[in-house]
Amino acid sequence: MAMLMVVSMLPEMAMADGEQTYVAQIGENTYTDIYEAAAAMQAGDTLTLLADVDIGKHNPVEGYVGFVVNGTFDLNGYTLSGEVRGPIVKFDASKDVTFTIKDSSEGKTGKIINRSTDTAGSVNAIDIAESTVTIDGGTYSAYYPIADASTTGLTILGGTFDGGGGILELAVAAGHLKPGGGGAVGGG
C-alpha cells in the first residue's frame, strides 16, 4: 500500500506495454520525465511534448513544471495536466525569463489543464510571474487559466482560454498586457 501511494504521487509517464515512453524532447535529447526535461533546458531551447503528461495532485508550492531560462514550450498537440492549488507551469520570477508557449500540431489540440476545483487559492494553467511570455496557440483551462503579476508583459497571439473565475488572475502594471491576435475565450 505504501509503495502504491508513493508511485501514485509521481508524474504519469506514458507507458507502452511496461516500457517507458519519452514525454518530451529538447533538440536530439529525449526525456521520460517532464521535470527532468524542464531542468535540462538551456537558453534558446525548445522543449517539445511527445505525449500527454499528468503531473498528479500537488500543494501550491510544489509540483509545477518550472522554466528558468529563455526558450519555447511546444505543446505539439499533447496535454500537460494536473490537479494543483497553484499553476501547472510557472516561470521563475527571479530570472526575468522571455518565453513562448505554442502548439505546432496540425490539429492545434495542445493543452495545459489544471483540474483543481479549489477556488480559495490561485488555480492556474500558467503563472507568468515576472517574465515576458508570448502565448501562440493551445488551450489553457483552470479556474484562472493565466496568473500574471508581470511588470514586463504577456502577449497573446492565439489560443483558447477557459476559466470558471475569469481568464486572468491579474496584477499587472498598466500597459503590460498586449493582446496581439486571435484566440477564443470561454467562461464557467
Side-chain angles (χ1 to χ4, degrees):
M1 179 79 159
M3 177 64 109
L4 178 61
M5 287 173 34
V6 170
V7 171
S8 70
M9 293 175 64
L10 297 174
E12 181 180 308
M13 304 306 163
M15 302 295 244
D17 296 326
E19 294 181 28
Q20 289 187 340
T21 301
Y22 297 111
V23 298
Q25 181 171 352
I26 301 171
E28 298 299 316
N29 299 316
T30 50
Y31 301 86
T32 59
D33 182 291
I34 190 69
Y35 297 107
E36 181 182 318
M41 284 189 74
Q42 301 293 314
D45 281 348
T46 296
L47 186 154
T48 303
L49 278 182
L50 301 176
D52 292 339
V53 178
D54 189 326
I55 64 171
K57 185 175 182 175
H58 299 282
N59 291 320
V61 295
E62 57 187 42
Y64 60 80
V65 177
F67 292 101
V68 297
V69 297
N70 298 340
T72 300
F73 180 35
D74 184 355
L75 298 170
N76 193 33
Y78 294 101
T79 300
L80 175 61
S81 62
E83 185 177 339
V84 181
R85 187 174 174 215
I88 299 294
V89 171
K90 185 173 182 175
F91 299 93
D92 190 327
S94 68
K95 303 287 185 184
D96 191 25
V97 173
T98 299
F99 215 84
T100 298
I101 302 175
K102 67 179 188 175
D103 180 12
S104 67
S105 69
E106 188 173 321
K108 304 297 183 203
T109 55
K111 300 174 185 171
I112 300 176
I113 300 172
N114 191 336
R115 296 183 308 275
S116 177
T117 58
D118 183 351
T119 59
S122 295
V123 175
N124 316 110
I126 57 176
D127 185 344
I128 305 301
E130 294 294 326
S131 300
T132 301
V133 175
T134 299
I135 297 174
D136 190 6
T139 296
Y140 306 88
S141 181
Y143 190 71
Y144 293 107
I146 302 169
D148 184 2
S150 175
T151 58
T152 51
L154 167 63
T155 301
I156 299 173
L157 299 176
T160 301
F161 305 87
D162 186 21
I167 303 308
L168 292 172
E169 184 177 27
L170 199 56
V172 297
H176 291 288
L177 175 64
K178 301 178 274 281
V185 175

